[in-house]
Amino acid sequence: MKTDLAIAKETKMKQIQSIIEELDILESEWEPHGKYKAKLSLSILDRLANKPDGNLILVTSINPTPAGEGKSTVTVGLGQALQQMGKKAAVALREPSLGPVMGLKGGATGGGYSQVLPMEEINLHFTGDIHAITATNNALAALIDNHIFQGNSAQIDTRRITWKRVVDLNDRALREVIVGLGGVKQGVPREDGFNITVASEIMAILCLAKDYQDLKQRLAKIVIGYRTDGSPVTVSELGVEGVLAMLLKDAILPNLVQTIEGVPAFIHGGPFANIAHGCNSLLATKMASKLADYVVTEAGFGADLGAEKFLNIKARIGQLDPKAVVIVATTRALKMHGGLDKSELTIENIPALIAGLANLEKHIETIKAFKLPFVVALNHFTTDTAEEIKAIEDWCAERGIELALTTVWAEGGQGGIELAKKVIKCIEQDSSDYQPLYPLDIDLKSKIETIAKKVYGAKDVKYSALADQQIKEFTKHGWSNLPICMAKTQYSLSDQSELIGRPSDFTITIRELRPSIGAGFIVALTGEMLTMPGLPKKPAALNMDINARGEISGLF
């Protein structure tokens, strides 16, 4: 069986100008980044402001196995299927982070014959957007420490600085550090730490900003810490929002590439869904919606994470109108949720499969709660058996659930035609009545509890003493009208990764809250969720190499 990388290398790509011409983008509205990548001007949105948006399709999934369930592959495959059916289609995805690329999960450009290209460049440094975010985040950190060293006129309490440095790698050794050691000339000693870049508020801001002015205003609202009297200190008080926005001048521009079958692919921004809001940039999604009639986008991990945040945060901020949802399921993930060990997932086990369908059922209920029509996509793996597929088909048929078997990894767009037809039928029936799960004018605890109970199925929510105090402080500061961004494990509906399937009678524990005022939401950290992941015992990086001709191997 060919690897994803081998398939990608065999593909003859179109020059990026061909993709540009298919989208009717003007010569003044793009600039090339090599032969196969382009940056797109925000002026496209101004020119097409009065043009109706295309049909927006959201792809989500059940709670995944550690290897992922092929959500990006299905997203790309569906876009290719729509194009094969004569539709003007595009896909909109996140940029991969080097953390998971070199860690456990590997690359994030789809797979098989449903990939975005050039996959090596996208999975590594791409157009440098994530590096620009890293530099911007760390420039702010340096400016904060310099402000303190130069007299601290803002009276920042050095014990309550909340802004952390970042790096786009999984590096557990950097979670807690001490900076400023070495004497008077080296700064003021204090505790600090690192997050992974994709968890930075600047990543979230870039992905939710509407234009340069909005970007600058959001950066100005970032809370970097507190004074001794408990009042927040913002970037605007340091007067550095201008330079931070300047560093993001090119990073804010959406990137355009292509799928294996030449479908335009907007890949821009990459916040994680388990610790951030998990969606590609609003600008890329809106731009794709103006340039194509059908736009397929994804949100990270399961419907309890990325889709919930897409629908409660991104779609609300961007006034998006999703028309249909695809929920990706696999036999292996369903069997895991039925109680099997990950070493047993390739073995047929119908009872475990049936038991695991309770997890799919909960995600279906979540999408229904947002009043959106949906199709379940069963992403086919070579180890699936006919009996397993029939068991899922029967379960869906009994409940009147639309199911489409997809073979997009092996067959590209052709393997997603059934799914595309059913999604189009959903859209043509005009049954979407999307609305967020909660209004913004209720208190923070009510929002948290709405998500925990309606989306996760929790019995109750428990708050640490710190979280309780922070809710009081945040309300006092006027932040209670913001949406909630929950940081939670992706492997379970609960905040405990070992509680698989559809757990009941569990309690969600809110450990800490963090204000992302520039992004426009409050982050609620549950359980043991970390904002700087670590590498596994055998990271994917161990299999990666480059030869004397500069050819990469082991990247997938």
Side-chain angles (χ1 to χ4, degrees), residues 337-353:
H337 287 293
L340 295 190
D341 183 78
K342 62 183 179 181
S343 63
E344 304 172 303
L345 299 182
T346 58
I347 302 169
E348 181 181 294
N349 189 318
I350 303 298
L353 181 72

